[in-house]
Amino acid sequence: MLETRLMTLRRILESSIADLTFEDVEGLIQEEAEEGPRLELKRSLPANDRQGDPWMTGAKRFSNPARDGLAKEVVALANAYGGAVVVGVDEKDDHPKRARGPNPILIPRIAACAEQMQQALDSLIDPPLAVLEVRGIEKPDSNGEGVLVIRTGPSTRAPHGHGRPPLAYMRRGSRSEPMTMRDLQSTLFETRTRGERINALLEDRRRALTHMVEKGPHGILLERGEQPFLGRSALYFRCTLVAVENLQLRADEAVRTTPIIRLMLGGSFSTSAFGSGSFHYGWAHRVNGVESIDHSSRHFARWFVGDQGIVDAYGLMTLDTYRGRSDVFAPILFPPVAIQVLGLGEQLRRVARRPEVELVVECEFINSGTATAIHGDGRAFDVGTQIPSGSIRMGPFRLGTSTTSRPCTPRSSAGYGMASAYLLSLGSISRWPSGWLR
């Protein structure tokens, strides 16, 4: 019975929120789920009086007490271990409290309620949460009624507060309590330590690309000793994804037991600079991870998957000849690489059963000579402008699930702008705080 309870709770906390069902919430009640550091149960929307929140009786908006009461719980979870708030489950008076049936208490117009609550929490919590999921789970065959699930992860930008001035809370056992000065100091230290770890991992991947550039195209040796890029000019590119929390994977086991496949895109992004689909050359063991290669007559790339939750695609694309120029490339080939890296990162989160963990992404171009960007149809991408030599980085960006994103202005020249613009269009991407990653 205990194992069943734990499995139900793990599903609420670890499954994709889109996969949760009304039966999952009913399971919490049937198993008398216990509140704890990562689970808060609410009978209904919080209210100041026994009449309840006006939303429950047909109002078009919920009250400030409802918004503030849920914001308090979400902030407390984010400042600790992350977790879920389930609204629509009655509680016993035990200590800690347990779910009480017989059935969930339904909230009317649950889809609209979830949408408004997402917007309200996004605007109220400071600094904004990168991972904040709000979903209304409708009861089958009902008139739009259901329960509300709010989920967040342990935040990399803690401490968080809500209101003006912000009030900061932290989860202690099954209670959300005000943070003390010691709590604030400890949280800030952990945040900084986490940032230093991510910076170190990114720096390691930067060095890998720099080493490839130093060797040059002539330094690429294939299985039989061929040097297909000898005497050719190339543009180098890297896209690195790092999970903010150490996923503690066995990368060699993950690629052996789970099909690790790069997305095959359509439309304008049907061709990727570094290949698509399965990895045909298998995986080789590397320090703290595994690596595969991909190459053609025009590109050579290494794909690294790390134990801590890292995906790194880096390599070169040879420059082509067009209308008398021998230094042209199509920038549209590089955004698909970033999309593929994001897809592999999501696969790793699922393998680790950690969907709430934020991801950090950084891209980099290195041009050791001259290069000219063109569109796929041959039109000059930026007439009369060549891509300057040197390194240009985009990011690091932080990816969560919140609908709120902070503006980013990566330093990029015209030819590289397409890649950064497409990354920004993915949503839920914000600039990593500059004070943490220098």
Side-chain angles (χ1 to χ4, degrees):
M1 183 63 178
L2 176 59
E3 183 178 351
T4 303
R5 289 181 181 177
L6 292 176
M7 290 300 293
T8 302
L9 181 57
R10 284 187 64 179
R11 179 168 172 79
I12 294 291
L13 295 175
E14 298 175 1
S15 296
S16 168
I17 198 168
D19 294 337
L20 297 181
T21 65
F22 196 78
E23 288 74 20
D24 292 324
V25 178
E26 290 179 318
L28 289 177
I29 295 174
Q30 293 167 4
E31 297 157 14
E32 299 183 346
E34 180 181 287
E35 287 189 339
R38 302 192 64 201
L39 178 66
E40 172 69 20
L41 303 175
K42 295 287 186 187
R43 183 180 189 277
S44 185
L45 295 171
N48 282 340
D49 54 51
R50 294 184 178 181
Q51 294 181 354
D53 188 85
W55 183 277
M56 303 298 290
T57 56
K60 295 183 178 180
R61 291 190 175 277
F62 44 76
S63 64
N64 288 345
R67 177 199 65 185
D68 295 345
L70 294 180
K72 169 187 170 182
E73 305 298 347
V74 171
V75 162
L77 291 169
N79 286 336
Y81 309 105
V85 182
V86 182
V87 185
V89 176
D90 202 359
E91 306 160 284
K92 294 183 178 181
D93 293 329
D94 301 348
H95 183 73
K97 295 181 178 180
R98 293 180 176 275
R100 176 170 62 184
N103 299 306
I105 298 169
L106 302 180
I107 301 172
R109 294 164 291 130
I110 190 61
C113 182
E115 182 179 358
Q116 287 193 30
M117 187 60 70
Q118 177 87 59
Q119 295 172 355
L121 295 177
D122 283 337
S123 64
L124 186 65
I125 296 174
D126 185 32
L129 294 169
V131 178
L132 177 59
E133 303 171 298
V134 182
R135 181 174 173 228
I137 302 179
E138 187 173 327
K139 180 181 180 181
D141 302 322
S142 72
N143 189 25
E145 301 167 316
V147 297
L148 189 67
V149 176
I150 307 173
R151 204 165 66 180
T152 188
S155 177
T156 60
R157 305 182 67 203
H160 296 266
H162 73 91
R164 299 290 183 274
L167 301 174
Y169 291 84
M170 175 174 275
R171 199 73 176 171
R172 302 186 201 282
S174 61
R175 298 171 60 87
S176 299
E177 298 181 353
M179 296 183 74
T180 65
M181 287 302 299
R182 182 174 295 180
D183 292 332
L184 293 170
Q185 290 172 342
S186 176
T187 302
L188 289 170
F189 176 78
E190 291 173 2
T191 298
R192 184 173 185 84
T193 301
R194 187 183 291 113
E196 291 171 350
R197 166 188 163 270
I198 294 168
N199 195 32
L201 294 173
L202 288 175
E203 188 59 37
D204 180 65
R205 305 320 304 168
R206 294 165 188 159
R207 284 194 296 267
L209 179 62
T210 300
H211 180 65
M212 181 180 286
V213 174
E214 291 172 349
K215 292 173 62 177
H218 60 278
I220 302 297
L221 297 175
L222 301 184
E223 312 83 71
R224 300 178 181 177
E226 305 103 313
Q227 293 178 285
F229 309 115
L230 194 63
R232 302 175 69 178
S233 299
L235 180 69
Y236 297 83
F237 178 68
R238 170 182 63 86
C239 183
T240 306
L241 176 147
V242 178
V244 169
E245 300 286 341
N246 187 343
L247 296 185
Q248 298 181 331
L249 294 166
R250 285 282 304 277
D252 56 343
E253 183 177 333
V255 299
R256 186 175 67 251
T257 60
T258 305
I260 303 295
I261 301 175
R262 294 164 294 182
L263 295 174
M264 302 184 69
L265 307 172
S268 300
F269 297 108
S270 58
T271 304
S272 170
F274 292 164
S276 300
S278 301
F279 291 93
H280 303 293
Y281 293 93
W283 296 92
H285 288 273
R286 294 290 183 265
V287 177
N288 299 321
V290 293
E291 188 176 76
S292 185
I293 63 171
D294 193 303
H295 63 83
S296 69
S297 60
R298 298 179 57 195
H299 82 273
F300 179 87
R302 295 184 179 275
W303 291 78
F304 175 81
V305 176
D307 298 334
Q308 296 192 37
I310 302 170
V311 179
D312 185 37
Y314 66 107
L316 63 84
M317 170 69 71
T318 58
L319 300 176
D320 292 327
T321 299
Y322 179 75
R323 291 186 178 180
R325 299 194 65 94
S326 58
D327 62 350
V328 300
F329 74 99
I332 202 170
L333 297 175
F334 295 98
V337 178
I339 300 170
Q340 291 169 331
V341 168
L342 296 180
L344 293 178
E346 180 60 28
Q347 289 185 50
L348 293 186
R349 283 203 300 193
R350 289 177 179 268
V351 169
R353 302 182 66 88
R354 297 292 303 279
E356 81 285 357
V357 172
E358 297 174 50
L359 304 174
V360 171
V361 178
E362 179 180 82
C363 295
E364 180 179 17
F365 285 95
I366 298 181
N367 176 28
S368 56
T370 61
T372 301
I374 62 168
H375 278 292
D377 60 4
R379 292 183 291 112
F381 185 76
D382 196 5
V383 177
T385 301
Q386 293 183 343
I387 306 305
S389 62
S391 170
I392 292 182
R393 290 180 189 160
M394 291 166 287
F397 303 106
R398 188 183 68 255
L399 282 74
T401 56
S402 171
T403 56
T404 301
S405 62
R406 294 202 171 194
C408 311
T409 311
R411 293 176 297 158
S412 56
S413 60
Y416 303 136
M418 181 178 290
S420 64
Y422 196 79
L423 275 174
L424 292 174
S425 72
L426 295 176
S428 301
I429 300 179
S430 57
R431 187 71 165 173
W432 189 269
S434 58
W436 297 348
L437 296 180
R438 288 283 187 183

